[in-house]
Amino acid sequence: MQVLRLLPVQEPVPELLVGHETSDDAGVYKLTESIALIQTIDYFTPIVDDPYMFGQIAAANALSDVYAMGGEPKTVLNIVGYPVKKLGPDILAEILRGASDKVKEAGAVTVGGHSIDDQEPKFGLSVTGLAHPDKIWKNVGALPGDVLVLSKPIGVGIMTTGIKRSAVSPEQEQEVTETMALLNKSAAEALQGFTPHAVTDVTGFGLLGHGSEIARGSDVSFEIALSKVPVLDGTYELASKGVVPGGSKSNHKWLIDDVDYEDISAEEQIVLCDAITSGGLLVSLPEAEADQYVEALKAQGLIHAAVIGKVIEKKDKLIYVKR
Ligand code: CO
Ligand code: CO
């Protein structure tokens, strides 16, 4: 459910550059002519067994929304729900250490947080960042003629479900875990030299869900080439066995009227809708800049980065998937 729809309507505030109406990655508030405040929050239940890794992933995921707005993360607050009597303090200390290491890597600082006693562990962060008000990357503004670049592979939701069912190899487990823990810092920094028209990060609504938000808000349609989309090794195999998280299935369901899948198989459709934690940046930018940006991403070690499609004039559907 998109809880944002339940929010009461607010009086317009001129300083609010990005509010919740466009389902963007973070809120943006103009403090001065040269400084805008970027704020976001995200938390969830453990998605991997290793608490240190879980902390890193939760932090990379929360920090990502600031990167997706073109900002620099500055301060973070930890949000903790934890059954301390049941699990003891050591696991929580490892979660916090993982998050702290990622926050440090991001060049930000932890300023505090809040914890409650909870039956099931939950962890996340509220992140505050800064950017120039004229240099905010919104999730609207994509133009026909742009191409779409994705910086990290998809399939994270399906692969982590596979881990829970002991259906993935140790190598595959390592790959998906490292993918989630990887900051979008270098992808965002590399983008600073270009002129992106729309930017978001791929998370819970999946590649097609977040893509459809850009297309709808920009009044354009997308053409996505399935064969160009980077997908984690093992994802299609698991999807064909029905190892798919509920979130990915519900993404597929709510997107069904917005997407033309042509002859794409049911498993491939689900993979494109896979609900992701800490996914890559999805960028719409001029075609002339795309190859150079992808090269810059690869030079940063983002070896799966690719041009995955293009922006076209608005048609009947928001997204057309081709082979
Ligand atoms: Co986001
Ligand atoms: Co978010």
Side-chain angles (χ1 to χ4, degrees):
M1 183 179 59
Q2 289 193 297
V3 177
L4 282 177
R5 293 209 185 110
L6 306 179
L7 267 181
V9 177
Q10 299 180 100
E11 290 288 315
V13 174
E15 291 83 6
L16 188 61
L17 303 181
V18 179
H20 60 80
E21 298 81 6
T22 50
S23 308
D24 214 321
D25 300 290
V28 183
Y29 186 92
K30 185 173 167 181
L31 288 177
T32 70
E33 288 308 312
S34 59
I35 302 172
L37 188 70
I38 304 172
Q39 291 178 295
T40 181
I41 180 168
D42 211 341
Y43 67 99
F44 39 75
T45 54
I47 42 168
V48 291
D49 282 339
D50 179 347
Y52 176 70
M53 212 48 177
F54 173 50
Q56 288 192 57
I57 292 166
N61 178 73
L63 289 157
S64 174
D65 279 326
V66 171
Y67 292 125
M69 301 308 292
E72 230 180 280
K74 291 294 179 190
T75 59
V76 314
L77 296 164
N78 289 319
I79 305 134
V80 179
Y82 190 77
V84 72
K85 281 193 204 86
K86 195 165 88 187
L87 296 179
D90 294 356
I91 294 172
L92 180 55
E94 279 298 282
I95 295 173
L96 294 171
R97 188 171 70 88
S100 168
D101 282 355
K102 278 290 151 184
V103 169
K104 203 166 148 191
E105 191 184 326
V109 62
T110 306
V111 294
H114 183 69
S115 63
I116 59 163
D117 193 46
D118 200 343
Q119 289 304 308
E120 190 182 20
K122 297 177 188 77
F123 181 71
L125 302 89
S126 164
V127 184
T128 300
L130 298 177
H132 193 285
D134 301 336
K135 289 181 180 161
I136 300 296
W137 301 335
K138 297 183 186 174
N139 67 346
V140 296
L143 297 172
D146 281 0
V147 297
L148 302 167
V149 172
L150 181 64
S151 71
K152 280 192 201 181
I154 61 168
V156 165
I158 288 166
M159 292 306 288
T160 50
T161 303
I163 295 172
K164 284 175 194 150
R165 299 194 197 167
S166 309
V168 306
S169 71
E171 294 76 25
Q172 288 172 337
E173 178 168 348
Q174 193 183 347
E175 194 188 12
V176 61
T177 312
E178 284 173 359
T179 299
M180 288 187 286
L182 184 69
L183 289 178
N184 279 330
K185 184 177 199 268
S186 52
E189 283 174 356
L191 190 56
Q192 289 292 348
F194 298 95
T195 45
H197 293 143
V199 181
T200 194
D201 58 348
V202 177
T203 53
F205 298 140
L207 175 62
L208 297 192
H210 292 282
S212 74
E213 283 174 345
I214 297 184
R216 183 180 287 111
S218 308
D219 225 17
V220 295
S221 291
F222 283 3
E223 242 179 58
I224 289 179
L226 175 73
S227 58
K228 302 277 169 57
V229 177
V231 179
L232 287 168
D233 180 43
T235 305
Y236 284 118
E237 205 188 322
L238 287 179
S240 69
K241 290 179 188 156
V243 181
V244 175
S248 308
K249 288 179 196 162
S250 61
N251 286 344
H252 182 258
K253 212 167 156 186
W254 69 260
L255 285 163
I256 202 76
D257 293 333
D258 293 325
V259 183
D260 181 323
Y261 288 106
E262 237 173 46
D263 60 342
I264 307 297
S265 73
E267 292 97 69
E268 290 165 331
Q269 294 180 24
I270 278 284
V271 169
L272 291 171
C273 295
D274 188 31
I276 285 175
T277 300
S278 194
L281 294 187
L282 175 62
V283 179
S284 179
L285 81 173
E287 186 173 15
E289 295 184 348
D291 288 343
Q292 225 187 324
Y293 178 49
V294 170
E295 283 315 307
L297 291 173
K298 290 191 170 163
Q300 294 290 330
L302 295 158
I303 51 165
H304 299 283
V307 172
I308 62 159
K310 61 183 178 188
V311 181
I312 57 174
E313 298 284 348
K314 191 182 176 183
K315 295 208 292 188
D316 199 28
K317 304 278 181 185
L318 291 174
I319 298 179
Y320 294 79
V321 183
K322 317 260 169 197
R323 216 154 251 295

